[in-house]
Amino acid sequence: MNIPRTHIQKPELWQFPMDYPMSIIGHEGEHDSLRHEVTLILAEIFPDFDHASIQVQPSKTGRFHSLRVRLHLQNADEVNRLYTALDQAKTVKTVV
């Protein structure tokens, strides 16, 4: 069975529920639309997420911005849905 690259590759390493910090780095010049697109994704997967807690951090040169979030993950399906949606988002360059 071929597992999509956006899905958990080693489920045995994950212990749910868990708090999960992540940085979502946007493409150059996508600051405002990045926050909007990520907010929509998080609202769909995590309806109780406090969007005011999103921290915006510009790169040293100001060319890129990252959004820092801390999510409370309940299960692997949430992780898979989140990474799939972020992978498909046009404003997202990478997720760390």
Side-chain angles (χ1 to χ4, degrees), residues 2-4 11 19 23 25 27 29 31-34 36-38 41-44 56 61 71 77 81 90 93-95:
N2 199 8
I3 299 172
D19 286 331
S23 291
I25 302 165
H27 288 288
H31 168 66
D32 292 330
S33 50
L34 171 69
H36 178 73
E37 188 170 30
V38 169
I41 291 168
L42 295 177
E44 182 179 326
V56 179
T61 63
L71 302 171
D77 181 58
R81 289 175 52 213
K90 72 175 189 77
K93 181 177 178 72
T94 192
V95 179

Side-chain angles (χ1 to χ4, degrees), residues 9-81:
Q9 301 298 309
K10 295 185 179 193
E12 66 276 6
L13 298 179
W14 294 73
Q15 294 182 354
F16 297 99
M18 67 186 292
D19 286 331
Y20 189 72
M22 65 187 327
S23 291
I24 303 161
I25 302 165
H27 288 288
E28 185 173 0
E30 295 284 356
H31 168 66
D32 292 330
S33 50
L34 171 69
R35 186 179 181 116
H36 178 73
E37 188 170 30
V38 169
T39 298
L40 291 175
I41 291 168
L42 295 177
E44 182 179 326
I45 301 170
F46 306 98
D48 296 330
F49 178 73
D50 177 12
H51 300 285
S53 69
I54 297 174
Q55 298 175 346
V56 179
Q57 181 70 43
S59 65
K60 290 180 183 178
T61 63
R63 291 177 51 204
F64 302 94
H65 286 80
S66 67
L67 304 179
R68 295 184 182 172
V69 298
R70 181 174 294 277
L71 302 171
H72 187 73
L73 303 175
Q74 296 293 326
N75 55 58
D77 181 58
E78 287 180 336
V79 176
N80 294 339
R81 289 175 52 213

